[in-house]
Amino acid sequence: MLETIKKYWSYQRKMKFLENQYNWFNYKYFSFKLPKISLTLETEGKFKGRFSQAVDLDGKRLIPVAIRIDEQVFNDYKLFRDTLVHEMVHFYDSIKNPLPKKEFDKAKMYRDKAIEAITEEETEHWFMLAREILNKDGGHTHTFKSICHELNEEFSELSLRIKADEAKL
């Protein structure tokens, strides 16, 4: 029971810290241009951070859903900061640089073909094509890279990267 209570309070402290840092970074790096978004902690360790969006093919839009940060990055403030800001850049890019409507039309066509497909392989093929359109370059668009570069240049404490093993942009 005591261990459960400790985990709960550790989680609560991390969530409060995450929310406070999101607000601070939104002010410092984005001049409060980002709206509120769901912030969550992950424990699986598959990724350091992730910005996720819901797809509305009929409305032709991507809807920002959450920024997820893995608990492991809390052990190193620089890694935590760079990871959170990296995900915030994805969020900012999704607002500043929305996917063109014609891309949604193409993705919707692929989705419809997937629904009509007879075999599982065909279905996966068409869904994969739709996902590729909606998530070009893993979300690391030209605009995303430019924003990271600008932030790195303006704020010497930042070391934003596309992937953890790449050099600073």
Side-chain angles (χ1 to χ4, degrees):
M1 172 98 168
L2 183 58
E3 198 58 38
T4 303
I5 293 170
K6 284 182 183 179
K7 284 182 182 178
Y8 171 79
W9 284 112
S10 174
Y11 174 85
Q12 291 300 318
R13 280 193 306 274
K14 287 177 182 173
M15 281 302 302
K16 189 66 175 165
F17 181 74
L18 178 58
E19 291 165 2
N20 288 338
Q21 292 300 289
Y22 176 87
N23 291 331
W24 168 243
F25 298 157
N26 192 14
Y27 161 73
K28 184 173 183 179
Y29 303 124
F30 299 93
S31 303
F32 286 122
K33 292 178 183 160
L34 294 175
K36 294 277 186 197
I37 190 168
S38 175
L39 300 168
T40 61
L41 293 177
E42 296 292 327
T43 57
E44 295 175 11
K46 292 181 180 177
F47 53 85
K48 291 182 179 85
R50 179 176 292 171
F51 167 66
S52 54
Q53 303 178 88
V55 178
D56 177 5
L57 287 176
D58 298 316
K60 299 182 181 179
R61 62 191 180 124
L62 295 171
I63 304 162
V65 174
I67 291 177
R68 295 174 170 83
I69 302 295
D70 193 276
E71 286 186 296
Q72 293 177 11
V73 302
F74 281 81
N75 296 327
D76 177 343
Y77 181 74
K78 183 176 176 352
L79 177 61
F80 167 82
R81 181 197 59 227
D82 289 350
T83 301
L84 179 55
V85 173
H86 174 108
E87 302 311 324
M88 292 171 77
V89 172
H90 280 296
F91 186 20
Y92 183 74
D93 184 28
S94 76
I95 295 167
K96 185 176 178 182
N97 188 30
L99 199 60
K101 300 294 184 200
K102 66 180 181 174
E103 296 296 312
F104 282 99
D105 291 338
K106 195 185 302 182
K108 186 175 179 182
M109 177 191 69
Y110 289 152
R111 182 207 55 191
D112 293 345
K113 286 184 182 245
I115 292 168
E116 295 167 1
I118 296 176
T119 67
E120 194 172 310
E121 291 82 19
E122 282 181 295
T123 300
E124 183 54 36
H125 169 75
W126 291 115
F127 275 133
M128 182 190 68
L129 290 174
R131 280 192 301 272
E132 284 176 6
I133 289 170
L134 298 170
N135 193 24
K136 285 192 180 197
D137 302 319
H140 298 125
T141 65
H142 175 72
T143 306
F144 171 87
K145 292 174 187 175
S146 294
I147 295 166
C148 286
H149 180 71
E150 289 168 16
L151 288 171
N152 282 335
E153 290 295 312
E154 186 175 347
F155 300 98
S156 60
E157 72 272 16
L158 291 177
S159 185
L160 302 177
R161 297 168 165 79
I162 300 301
K163 294 184 179 154
D165 57 348
E166 290 182 341
K168 179 178 172 178
L169 287 171

